[in-house]
Amino acid sequence: MRKTIIAGNWKLNKTCKEAVELVTELNREVSQVTEVDIVVCPVFTALRDVSDVLVDSNVKLGAQNLYWEDAGAFTGEVSAPLIKDAGAQYVIIGHSERRQYFGETDATINKKIKAALAQGLTPIVCVGELLEERESGDTEKVITEQFKGSLAGYSADDVKRMVIAYEPVWAIGTGKTATPDQAQEVHKLIRQLLADGFGQETADVVRIQYGGSAKPENITELIQQPDIDGALVGGASLKSDSFAQMIKNCIAVAK
Ligand code: PGA
């Protein structure tokens, strides 16, 4: 059995004060939830403040990115040891917005995963196809390439410490969710890639999240799919009531 994991990707939103307000409200509703793993990923500058609210909570903290070197002359970057120091246990790596706007490639993502694992952070490794890639029938090829490139050189034990997020780029922030069948098809492919590359035992335990306009109204159907183990949530994680509702809907399915 894989435990459902719901992560909120707050992207470039919320001041420290707003982040603390949001996580305080959320915590009030779900801090004692044990059936589902819950993660929130604020901007770097709010990590510490949010971490302080989450002491004794089951809600865990994640960052949205990292740089692969630990320290040194890398102006403007934030490293895995610093993220850990700020209280985080997770880090999103290779989000499509990073690939699209900041030139991230499978090769840089691969290095970032290594840095995260070295600090004991759980990487949430993102893959996903563009609309034109889906329309030209290249989804399987693109996902396979991203998966293999991002995870090249890792052992089964390493991969067991990761979460994979399938986020079709055309569904992110657009209101267009992949249908449960469309999502399941790609999740199944990723599960097969895990089995082929790292063994069936690994494929059975690694959680694969869906991301792209996930919300309270569609989460139940999505996570009922056999290979969908949770969600990486953007817009709907910015309000405590909608994010908490998604968690509650997942608990109802888990039962
Ligand atoms: P969205 O974003 O839920 O707003 O579509 C998801 C993501 O990019 O992680």
Side-chain angles (χ1 to χ4, degrees):
M1 267 307 278
R2 293 179 294 268
K3 190 172 180 186
T4 301
I5 176 166
I6 303 291
N9 173 10
W10 294 359
K11 306 192 180 184
L12 183 45
N13 293 293
K14 308 282 178 193
T15 61
C16 287
K17 186 167 171 280
E18 290 164 346
V20 165
E21 280 167 10
L22 173 57
V23 80
T24 303
E25 281 169 23
L26 179 71
N27 213 23
R28 211 172 286 140
E29 296 218 42
V30 298
S31 71
Q32 298 313 313
V33 166
T34 54
E35 300 93 324
V36 171
D37 284 342
I38 305 166
V39 185
V40 292
C41 304
V43 294
F44 286 131
T45 48
L47 282 175
R48 185 78 254 169
D49 287 353
V50 171
S51 170
D52 289 343
V53 178
L54 294 179
V55 175
D56 297 329
S57 172
N58 287 333
V59 178
K60 302 301 175 202
L61 184 66
Q64 300 173 15
N65 178 34
L66 56 64
Y67 186 59
W68 57 80
E69 295 290 345
D70 284 354
F74 304 103
T75 303
E77 295 297 323
V78 178
S79 67
L82 300 190
I83 288 168
K84 192 176 170 194
D85 181 54
Q89 296 177 23
Y90 291 80
V91 57
I92 300 170
I93 297 184
H95 189 277
S96 63
E97 285 149 18
R98 304 286 324 163
R99 293 176 185 262
Q100 212 173 339
Y101 307 130
F102 303 99
E104 293 205 11
T105 63
D106 296 332
T108 58
I109 290 161
N110 189 290
K111 291 203 221 183
K112 290 184 175 199
I113 293 171
K114 190 169 180 192
L117 291 177
Q119 291 302 318
L121 297 169
T122 299
I124 299 177
V125 182
C126 303
V127 296
E129 82 286 2
L130 303 169
L131 182 60
E132 53 266 37
E133 292 166 338
R134 174 161 283 265
E135 286 177 342
S136 61
D138 288 331
T139 300
E140 182 171 339
K141 180 171 156 275
V142 170
I143 299 299
T144 303
E145 270 174 23
Q146 289 180 352
F147 178 94
K148 290 192 173 169
S150 303
L151 301 188
Y154 287 100
S155 68
D157 283 345
D158 293 332
V159 176
K160 283 182 193 159
R161 294 163 59 201
M162 305 178 193
V163 172
I164 312 287
Y166 167 57
E167 298 207 302
V169 179
W170 48 273
I172 295 178
T174 58
K176 278 190 213 154
T177 324
T179 65
D181 286 348
Q182 280 175 324
Q184 167 56 23
E185 196 183 1
V186 180
H187 280 241
K188 191 174 166 202
L189 163 69
I190 295 170
R191 187 87 56 209
Q192 191 57 51
L193 291 167
L194 283 163
D196 294 347
F198 305 98
Q200 190 59 48
E201 197 204 331
T202 305
D204 287 342
V205 298
V206 172
R207 294 175 295 178
I208 309 172
Q209 295 177 307
Y210 167 80
S213 300
K215 49 186 183 248
E217 294 75 21
N218 58 27
I219 187 69
T220 302
E221 248 199 301
L222 285 162
I223 69 150
Q224 279 170 338
Q225 300 300 313
D227 291 301
I228 301 184
D229 308 313
L232 182 53
V233 186
S237 71
L238 293 174
K239 292 215 165 73
S240 63
D241 52 356
S242 55
F243 194 58
Q245 189 58 51
M246 293 179 80
I247 293 159
K248 288 173 188 163
N249 291 359
C250 289
I251 295 171
V253 173
K255 284 176 180 163

